[in-house]
Amino acid sequence: MALIKTRLFLPILFTMIFVLGFMWHQKPFQNALSFKILFKNCHDVIKGGKEGNNSATSATMSKLQIKINEIFNKIERLIPNAAFLHLNKTTNARNSLASLTNPKEKYCVGENFVIQLDMYNYLGERKTNGGDYIRARIFSKPLGASISGKVEDFKNGTYHVHFLLHWEGRVNLSAKLMHPREAISALWRARHSSLGVIGFQGKFVSLNQEAITTCGFKLDTEKEVCEYVDPGDEEAFYCIKPPSLPCESLRDMTAVKLGISYLTEEETEMFIRSNIGVEIPKNFEFIDVVSCNKAGDTIKPTCQIGMSSPFPSGYFFNNTWNPVYCNMTSYKSAEDFTQCLQGKKLFLIGDSTLRQYIMHFTEDIKIVSYFNYHLNGWKSWIRSLLALNIEKDIYVSYSRHGFPLESFMFYYFQEDKYTSRQIDLLGGGKDTIIVITLGQHFRQFPLHLFIRRAINIRRAIKRLFLRSPDTKVIIKTENTRNFHTDVERIGDFNGYCQYHVLREVFQDINVGFVDAWDMTVSSATEDVHPPGITLENIMSMTFSFACS
């Protein structure tokens, strides 16, 4: 936050009075225009324009904003524009059908396997358009095997889901309708109807004085406002200035539930738990897959930084993740991780899904010990952490990715720096590993905010590589989470959009890309903090890049 200042309103006030008088004289029919609305419009200009406003010409936009809009528009083109008429007219998974496109007695390992989905509404009527959010996987539970499918939308109510068959045996299908197209359209509109469905409060402290005020990405207020601006990254947030405390005394921050929704009452019917993630019936029980005496698997290279990750990026077999483009090293024991991290500095920057890593190192396999932290589990989960092994020369730190953070308790905000700034402060080098994730705490806000943050992280990584090209940097996508969560605030569809952003932003830069989204879909994990085997494989993929 390179610049902190207090806005003064007097010059703006005189300007608004002049403009209002001019408008009144020129267009009497506009006399219903309120002073507050006019003030808000000026406020938008002061703040650099409304987020997501594409009306400005490219000549007035920064290169960063142009890139943000480019990626946003690419994602938006994938979103159906579907008006909600009645729940009965929306796609109903229970009335729909999954069938084999090429039924036969046996299928071969290595074969492309395609499932057809024909979708119907609650009235049993055939759907004639696409845009439903479908999640599909095939699996063989006794073999600890599974893989996610790639959905092809024909825009007419028919979908094909493509799988590559990687193992022998009986294979089952799970195809779930996460949300119908009308729900996707509503969620997209709701997400971009405001600057977030949660708010923030900041605590200002100086000597024996304390005050709590409203904070956020934009404030509609006539009070004095503290601006916390990073001009290089074009990042900013604001707090109402306490009457007797300086802007520099902002110390703590907390999220606040606003209790608002931008969905209509009728639209909320689509988001009751029984209508989310509903299994689509199939007209077959399973398929049989055999080897067909074909040649063995193609030899794959060891997983290396800079490799391009396709989708699907891999599959589980014997409860072990197998990337389709490289050979992953399994990291399970304390010895495995110690050999990887000895003599290294590991910086974990992100959210609680990376905090799991340092918790695993300290509380499960105990290869490092916390410094000045005497709790365990998720107690005080918002704290930054440091863990060390002096004998093996292992350094592990965890820090948050910076504002916004969805914590409904006050936390020490002055520790926070944007991820890009944290990267700028690191020297890097061949013994430095940086693992980054972001997503879960951005689901509550317009996608532009997330795109900006991702691009700024990419720019910081490129600056790091100029001074320390041998630094290992790994990007981990966010995980899927529980179906019963508040879909407008932290639902998986918002995360799915962000997943596409990360794939777009980091597709051609020399980093490791851990597709945790694909892994958690494949394993059908519904816990934002995946336990056991899923976490073990996500970490193995991470450190295959870090220690290769």
Side-chain angles (χ1 to χ4, degrees), residues 134-232:
I134 294 164
R135 186 181 290 175
R137 60 191 284 264
I138 55 174
F139 62 97
S140 299
K141 193 170 182 179
L143 300 176
S146 61
I147 187 173
S148 60
K150 189 171 184 177
V151 178
E152 180 183 8
D153 185 351
F154 291 99
K155 310 296 184 183
N156 61 1
T158 295
Y159 301 81
H160 280 178
V161 188
H162 300 263
F163 302 93
L164 188 63
L165 299 175
H166 287 281
W167 64 87
E168 297 180 62
R170 287 188 172 184
V171 174
N172 300 96
L173 168 74
S174 170
K176 293 181 177 179
L177 174 66
M178 302 302 293
H179 300 299
R181 70 191 305 266
E182 294 83 0
I184 295 307
S185 184
L187 285 174
W188 183 261
R189 186 205 70 238
R191 184 174 189 179
H192 299 96
S193 295
S194 72
L195 276 188
V197 291
I198 65 169
F200 296 93
Q201 289 182 337
K203 182 185 291 185
F204 293 76
V205 178
S206 180
L207 300 177
N208 61 343
Q209 287 186 289
E210 182 178 301
I212 295 173
T213 71
T214 299
C215 301
F217 288 108
K218 184 187 293 183
L219 299 176
D220 183 12
T221 179
E222 297 179 15
K223 297 180 180 179
E224 269 192 299
V225 172
C226 296
E227 297 184 346
Y228 301 91
V229 180
D230 185 327

Side-chain angles (χ1 to χ4, degrees), residues 206-268:
S206 180
L207 300 177
N208 61 343
Q209 287 186 289
E210 182 178 301
I212 295 173
T213 71
T214 299
C215 301
F217 288 108
K218 184 187 293 183
L219 299 176
D220 183 12
T221 179
E222 297 179 15
K223 297 180 180 179
E224 269 192 299
V225 172
C226 296
E227 297 184 346
Y228 301 91
V229 180
D230 185 327
D233 281 359
E234 300 177 25
E235 295 270 14
F237 72 93
Y238 310 88
C239 293
I240 294 176
K241 183 185 180 300
S244 58
L245 292 174
C247 294
E248 292 84 353
S249 63
L250 175 62
R251 190 189 70 181
D252 303 319
M253 189 73 75
T254 184
V256 178
K257 292 181 179 179
L258 299 178
I260 58 176
S261 172
Y262 293 91
L263 300 170
T264 68
E265 185 176 348
E266 291 78 14
E267 286 172 340
T268 58

Side-chain angles (χ1 to χ4, degrees), residues 292-506:
C292 298
N293 297 317
K294 291 189 177 181
D297 292 337
T298 303
I299 297 176
K300 296 179 294 186
T302 301
C303 296
Q304 300 281 336
I305 291 287
M307 287 182 163
S308 177
S309 174
F311 181 86
S313 61
Y315 63 96
F316 282 99
F317 186 73
N318 286 334
N319 294 319
T320 298
W321 183 249
N322 294 266
V324 296
Y325 59 99
C326 65
N327 281 321
M328 183 188 83
T329 302
S330 289
Y331 289 88
K332 297 181 179 180
S333 67
E335 183 180 357
D336 293 337
F337 282 106
T338 298
Q339 289 180 355
C340 171
L341 295 175
Q342 186 165 357
K344 303 284 200 312
K345 285 186 176 181
L346 171 62
F347 297 90
L348 305 170
I349 307 173
D351 56 33
S352 57
T353 64
L354 273 191
R355 195 181 195 273
Q356 280 188 283
Y357 285 31
I358 196 170
M359 289 168 61
H360 182 65
F361 293 149
T362 55
E363 300 170 27
D364 296 335
I365 60 175
K366 299 182 179 6
I367 62 169
V368 288
S369 299
Y370 287 127
F371 176 78
N372 194 31
Y373 182 72
H374 307 290
L375 302 173
N376 54 39
W378 292 106
K379 300 181 184 72
S380 191
W381 66 269
I382 50 180
R383 282 189 54 173
S384 299
L385 298 174
L386 173 63
L388 306 168
N389 183 328
I390 303 300
E391 181 184 351
K392 298 294 185 180
D393 192 20
I394 300 174
Y395 175 104
V396 182
S397 72
Y398 162 75
S399 57
R400 302 182 296 269
H401 53 53
F403 190 77
L405 186 73
E406 186 189 349
S407 167
F408 295 105
M409 62 183 78
F410 276 107
Y411 65 95
Y412 187 60
F413 178 69
Q414 287 302 323
E415 286 185 348
D416 277 11
K417 292 183 179 66
Y418 296 128
T419 302
S420 55
R421 291 292 162 257
Q422 295 186 54
I423 295 170
D424 285 338
L425 292 172
L426 296 177
K430 63 181 180 61
D431 295 325
T432 298
I433 304 166
I434 305 172
V435 185
I436 299 164
T437 195
L438 72 163
Q440 297 288 342
H441 294 265
F442 288 81
R443 293 185 178 192
Q444 303 88 329
F445 306 100
L447 190 61
H448 299 83
L449 297 170
F450 182 79
I451 297 171
R452 175 180 287 109
R453 193 65 57 87
I455 293 173
N456 284 331
I457 290 170
R458 176 193 167 94
R459 297 197 308 179
I461 292 170
K462 292 186 75 172
R463 292 192 294 269
L464 171 66
F465 287 162
L466 286 175
R467 63 184 185 270
S468 300
D470 49 358
T471 308
K472 297 288 184 70
V473 180
I474 296 95
I475 304 296
K476 172 196 164 294
T477 71
E478 59 189 287
N479 309 330
T480 56
R481 64 185 304 153
N482 319 65
F483 291 172
H484 66 265
T485 54
D486 179 350
V487 292
E488 195 173 353
R489 185 166 62 87
I490 49 177
D492 266 354
F493 174 70
N494 287 354
Y496 185 54
C497 294
Q498 294 174 174
Y499 167 68
H500 280 288
V501 169
L502 290 185
R503 292 193 69 92
E504 179 74 21
V505 171
F506 294 101

